Amino acid sequence: KKEFPKMKILTAENVPENDDAGRTMEAMISKGADIIFATSYGHLDPALKVAADNPEVCVVQQGNFIEGKIADNVGTYFGTVYEPVYLAGIAAGEATKSNKLGYVYAFPIPQTIANINAFQLGAASVNPDAETFVVNTSSWCDPAKQAEAAQGVLDQGVEGLTQHQDCTATITKAAEEAGAMVVGYHADASELAPNGWIAGSEWAWGDLYVDIVRTALAGDFVGSPYNANFRVGYKTGENPFVESKLGANLPEGTADEIAAAKERISTDGSPFEGPVIAQDGSELIAAGDVPDYATVESLMTVFVEGVVGEIPEG
């Protein structure tokens, strides 16, 4: 096995989703970076421009999807996030007594809509009366907006909160202080919610990042799975988005239900196995259909039945 020299890692945080992202990547390349990980949804266009200007550098972007031909030094990567979110929805659906759950999210992009829909479908799979009340913050990380959004959805009488935000402590603490259930996201925040924590999902990037780097440095990036729109989930490999620990206060049998659902998804199923009905009553996925990952991403422009709230225009 080829050994690689000790590498230097350059990092930049809070990079805006505009031309500043491109300038940040170019600055890293000027300092010797051979591989660029562009890790925000809005970094795709700057990343593609940087890749075109620097064909000797591998540029991989997290979470987006490139239509059409993909250049030899480019790719996207992501886990199938909605799968463990669906499983967390099962925990919430079993645990709720009011049948009202809350979801605070950033932007109505396909990934967040997929997560919201999967959470609701998971809850409804064990509790057909469960509903998910949604509110968006129009920001990936704004604690003031998060606090306001969390309070707003709590005021609607929800019994538990989950979220799709980059910084998660504010909403977790707000739910815990309100005596609501907590479903985590991005990281294990169970220590912040010792009373309310019931389930969650979190990133475990290590193995995937190591393999992308090794593939690129070995000169094998072109034509590799990473020189594409790489998605990995329960069916296709080791999903880098994993289940968090379950809370101690879940109803008996919930862990077994979650394990059975994961087994079904991992073999011949999907959180979005039809029939799936959209919020407006139309059929989103027909009965018996099991959409693949690409199809799911293309369909996530509307909420499913049971989600309460509208997708903001623009």
Side-chain angles (χ1 to χ4, degrees):
K1 178 184 288 188
K2 182 177 180 180
E3 294 297 326
F4 299 110
K6 185 176 181 180
M7 291 176 288
K8 181 178 180 181
I9 299 175
L10 307 174
T11 63
E13 298 183 1
N14 301 316
V15 178
E17 295 178 322
N18 55 30
D19 289 344
D20 287 344
R23 285 188 281 270
T24 300
M25 296 179 216
E26 290 285 2
M28 290 177 167
I29 292 170
S30 71
K31 295 176 182 177
D34 297 308
I35 308 166
I36 296 290
F37 288 86
T39 60
S40 189
Y41 189 84
H43 288 168
L44 177 62
D45 288 343
L48 292 177
K49 184 177 185 307
V50 168
D53 292 341
N54 299 274
E56 76 286 357
V57 176
C58 290
V59 180
V60 286
Q61 193 271 337
Q62 179 181 298
N64 229 304
F65 194 90
I66 300 173
E67 301 286 351
K69 181 175 173 56
I70 297 176
D72 286 347
N73 64 328
V74 173
T76 73
Y77 65 98
F78 212 51
T80 310
V81 177
Y82 55 79
E83 291 177 334
V85 170
Y86 175 87
L87 302 181
I90 292 175
E94 284 287 18
T96 181
K97 295 180 176 64
S98 69
N99 300 322
K100 298 176 72 172
L101 305 167
Y103 209 120
V104 179
Y105 70 101
F107 298 99
I109 60 176
Q111 290 161 8
T112 55
I113 295 174
N115 283 351
I116 292 166
N117 287 344
F119 181 78
Q120 168 59 26
L121 291 171
S125 73
V126 295
N127 181 353
D129 295 325
E131 294 180 306
T132 301
F133 291 71
V134 298
V135 60
N136 76 296
T137 60
S138 298
S139 172
W140 291 115
C141 183
D142 186 324
K145 287 184 177 180
Q146 289 176 344
E148 181 181 359
Q151 190 58 55
V153 75
L154 286 166
D155 286 345
Q156 296 182 67
V158 304
E159 192 177 2
L161 274 186
T162 188
Q163 60 182 303
H164 188 147
Q165 299 274 267
D166 279 354
C167 51
T168 61
T170 298
I171 294 166
T172 300
K173 291 177 180 177
E176 178 75 0
E177 291 170 3
M181 297 184 298
V182 176
V183 176
Y185 185 72
H186 267 324
D188 180 0
S190 56
E191 291 186 358
L192 299 180
N195 298 313
W197 184 270
I198 60 166
S201 43
E202 60 193 75
W203 289 108
W205 284 118
D207 290 344
L208 178 59
Y209 272 42
V210 167
D211 199 49
I212 292 174
V213 170
R214 285 192 174 276
T215 299
L217 294 183
D220 297 329
F221 185 83
V222 179
S224 74
Y226 307 122
N227 182 208
N229 293 305
F230 179 77
R231 297 293 184 273
V232 61
Y234 290 153
K235 286 183 183 178
T236 57
E238 193 66 30
N239 194 344
F241 203 61
V242 301
E243 301 162 71
S244 299
K245 66 183 71 172
L246 294 176
N249 299 320
L250 284 171
E252 185 177 354
T254 302
D256 291 337
E257 288 181 313
I258 290 172
K262 182 176 181 179
E263 176 63 23
R264 175 178 60 80
I265 294 168
S266 301
T267 52
D268 58 358
S270 165
F272 295 101
E273 182 175 350
V276 175
I277 306 303
Q279 193 183 52
D280 64 3
S282 63
E283 185 179 74
L284 187 62
I285 300 171
D289 284 358
V290 182
D292 60 21
Y293 296 147
T295 300
V296 169
E297 288 198 29
S298 70
L299 291 174
M300 292 302 112
T301 59
V302 297
F303 289 141
V304 298
E305 186 177 46
V307 176
V308 180
E310 297 181 356
I311 295 175
E313 295 183 2

